Each structure stands twice: as C-alpha cells, then as structure tokens.
Amino acid sequence: MEQTYVMVKPDGVQRGLVGEVISRIEKRGLKLVALRMNVISEAIAKEHYSEHASKPFFPGLVEFITSGPSVSMVVAGKDAIRVMRAINGATNPVDAAPGTIRGDFALDVGRNVVHASDSPDAAAREIAIHFKDSEIGKYSRIDEVCLYE
Ligand code: IDP
Ligand code: MG
C-alpha cells in the first residue's frame, strides 16, 4: 500500500483541528501508521520545504511551521498520496472546494492547516525526514476486508 506524509500545521493544532483532520483520514479508510506531535526544528523545516527555498514566502513559512507544535503522520492506503491531496484541497484555501479540509477550515494560503506529500518521490523523501523506519507501524486494520475489493 502507498504511504504519504501528512502534517497538521501549527495553525491546525492551535485551532483544535487535529481530531477533525485525523477523523477525516480514518473515515476515508486511510490507515495511520505513524503519528507524533512535536515542534519541528528549523533545520528539519528547511529540509522539508527545500523546494521552496528561493521563494519569497520561504522565511515566513519556516518561521511559522516551527512556531509551535505540529502533528506529523504517515498515512497508508490505496493511492494514499493522491487521496490525501484531495482530502486537503487546493493550496490556496480560497480555491479549495467545500468538503476539503482547506475548503472547510481555512482562508489564507499561509495558514492552510495541513500538508501532504505531492508525489511518490516527495512522500519517500518527507517520510524519511520526519520518521525512522522503526517508528512506522506495520499492521492490518480489521475493516480492510470491507474497504478493498
Ligand atoms: P502544498 O502545501 O499544497 O503542497 P506548496 O506549493 O508546496 O503547497 O507550498 C507549501 C506551503 O507554502 C503551502 O501549503 C503554504 O502554506 C505555503 N505557501 C505556498 N505559496 C504561498 C504564498 O504564495 N504565500 C504564502 N505562503 C505560501
Ligand atoms: Mg507542496
């Protein structure tokens, strides 16, 4: 099963949306295989967002993402990368469809509540940045017999 990296950013934690985000992920059928709350270091934040290093919003993004606790997860399931991006919605919440996390809970691109990897390469890279192999659980969820054909 495909794995992806998901984060509830500091704004999501401060707004009490951790449970809401996890609930949507679990109800969809995706499986949590790793979960942690911590304050991400500046070094990890810069590595995580390295593709944006030259962008004008990069310093503010790193400052915000390290400003308080965030929740990091590895989420697994069929097409988990694409499904998670769809659950989160468009990067700019103004463009995010109602029913998505960003479309239901956010207004500003710099405070868009959640992150999810955008490709298989990004997922592998981001999972390795945030988790050790030994921190990723390997188990079957009992409802998988009903979820998958
Ligand atoms: P994504 O989170 O949907 O993958 P990216 O384009 O990879 O979007 O951007 C990473 C994060 O950087 C966004 O989620 C958002 O928080 C922030 N960001 C992106 N573009 C802007 C911008 O124009 N101004 C401020 N923040 C931005
Ligand atoms: Mg991105």
Side-chain angles (χ1 to χ4, degrees):
M1 283 292 164
E2 192 169 76
Q3 295 188 340
T4 189
Y5 172 74
V6 178
M7 185 197 302
V8 184
K9 298 181 184 183
D11 52 334
V13 173
Q14 290 297 325
R15 293 176 57 203
L17 292 172
V18 174
E20 176 74 35
V21 171
I22 290 176
S23 178
R24 288 176 179 222
I25 293 168
E26 287 190 313
K27 285 180 193 162
R28 183 64 185 269
L30 294 173
K31 179 166 65 181
L32 287 172
V33 294
L35 179 68
R36 174 200 305 124
M37 174 182 275
N38 69 326
V39 180
I40 289 178
S41 70
E42 190 181 321
I44 296 276
K46 286 180 169 167
E47 198 181 347
H48 173 87
Y49 279 125
S50 57
E51 67 174 306
H52 298 304
S54 63
K55 311 263 175 69
F57 60 81
F58 184 72
L61 178 60
V62 170
E63 189 182 352
F64 178 65
I65 219 75
T66 59
S67 67
S70 54
V71 172
S72 282
M73 295 170 248
V74 180
V75 169
K78 184 171 193 280
D79 288 317
I81 295 166
R82 281 171 51 211
V83 172
M84 261 325 303
R85 293 286 293 188
I87 288 172
N88 284 1
T91 302
N92 187 338
V94 172
D95 302 319
T100 65
I101 291 168
R102 289 163 170 172
D104 288 347
F105 299 112
L107 288 168
D108 193 317
V109 70
R111 298 288 184 273
N112 60 5
V113 182
V114 276
H115 166 87
S117 311
D118 66 4
S119 68
D121 282 353
R125 194 181 76 82
E126 292 171 6
I127 290 168
I129 289 171
H130 295 278
F131 289 98
K132 298 180 210 149
D133 255 2
S134 60
E135 292 175 312
I136 300 173
K138 288 163 191 69
Y139 69 102
S140 295
R141 225 167 75 175
I142 195 102
D143 61 357
E144 282 168 8
V145 293
C146 309
L147 269 168
Y148 295 112
E149 192 176 26

